[in-house]
Amino acid sequence: MEFSFDTIKSPVENILIKEKGSKFIGFAFPVENEKEVKEALARVKEAHPKATHHCYAFRLGINGENYRANDDGEPSGSAGLPIYNQLLAHNITQVLLIVVRYYGGTKLGVSGLVKTYKESAKFTLESCELITKELQSEIEIQFEFDQQNVIFTLLNKFGAKIIDFKTEEKCTISAQLKTSEKENISEQLSEMQNISFEFVDS
C-alpha cells in the first residue's frame, strides 16, 4: 500500500505563452476534492470572463484514480487530454491544471492546439514546486489519567500531532500521525493496560 503521493506545494497562476496571436494562460492549484476543483475553476472563469476557452484537467486520489479532462469547446482531445497527460508525465495528483485561451484570429488546427496546450500545461507545472505528501490518519485514544506521560511519550515517538485532549473521568486524546505508522503504534497500544483506541479515518 502506498502512504505518500507527489503534488504541488502552492497555486501557480497566470503563466502566459502566445501562439499565432492566441494567448494561453496556465493555472495550477493543489486540490483536496471536487468541491475545491469547482471553486478554483469558478474563480478563474470569473477572472477571465472574456476568454474563448477554459480547458482543464485534474487528478484526485492517492493514485490519481479520480480524474477528468475537459476541452471546453475546443476540438475533442485537443486541449483537456494534453493538459491531463502533463499531470501524468509529472506523476502528480491532487492537482487541478487549467489553461485559459484567448483566441487571436488565426486557427491553429488540431495538431497546433494539442502542441500549444501541452506546452502551456508543461510550462505551468514547471513553474510549480513539487512536494511529496505523507498520508495522515487520525487516532483517538482513551486512557486513565495517570497514563498521560506514557501516551504523550508514545505519540511523540511517532511524530504525532495532538488535535484534541479531554480530561474527564477518562482521558481522550485525538492525534494525527502518518498512515505508514498505523500498524506500529497499534501494536504498542495493544500491549498496554486500560487503554482503548480507534482510527477515525474519513
Side-chain angles (χ1 to χ4, degrees), residues 26-40:
F27 299 82
F29 299 97
V31 284
E32 292 286 329
N33 48 48
E34 289 203 42
K35 182 173 176 276
E36 289 186 14
V37 167
K38 285 186 182 127
E39 285 167 2

Side-chain angles (χ1 to χ4, degrees), residues 89-133:
H90 285 77
N91 194 25
I92 53 175
T93 185
Q94 302 292 86
V95 178
L96 166 67
L97 190 52
I98 306 169
V99 179
V100 169
R101 180 189 180 195
Y102 285 88
Y103 180 55
T106 306
K107 290 198 169 177
L108 301 179
V110 171
S111 62
L113 287 172
V114 169
K115 181 173 163 289
T116 314
Y117 276 108
K118 175 193 167 183
E119 275 173 12
S120 179
K122 185 168 184 277
F123 193 34
T124 302
L125 288 180
E126 282 169 357
S127 307
C128 295
E129 187 184 338
L130 300 188
I131 53 165
T132 299
K133 269 191 156 180

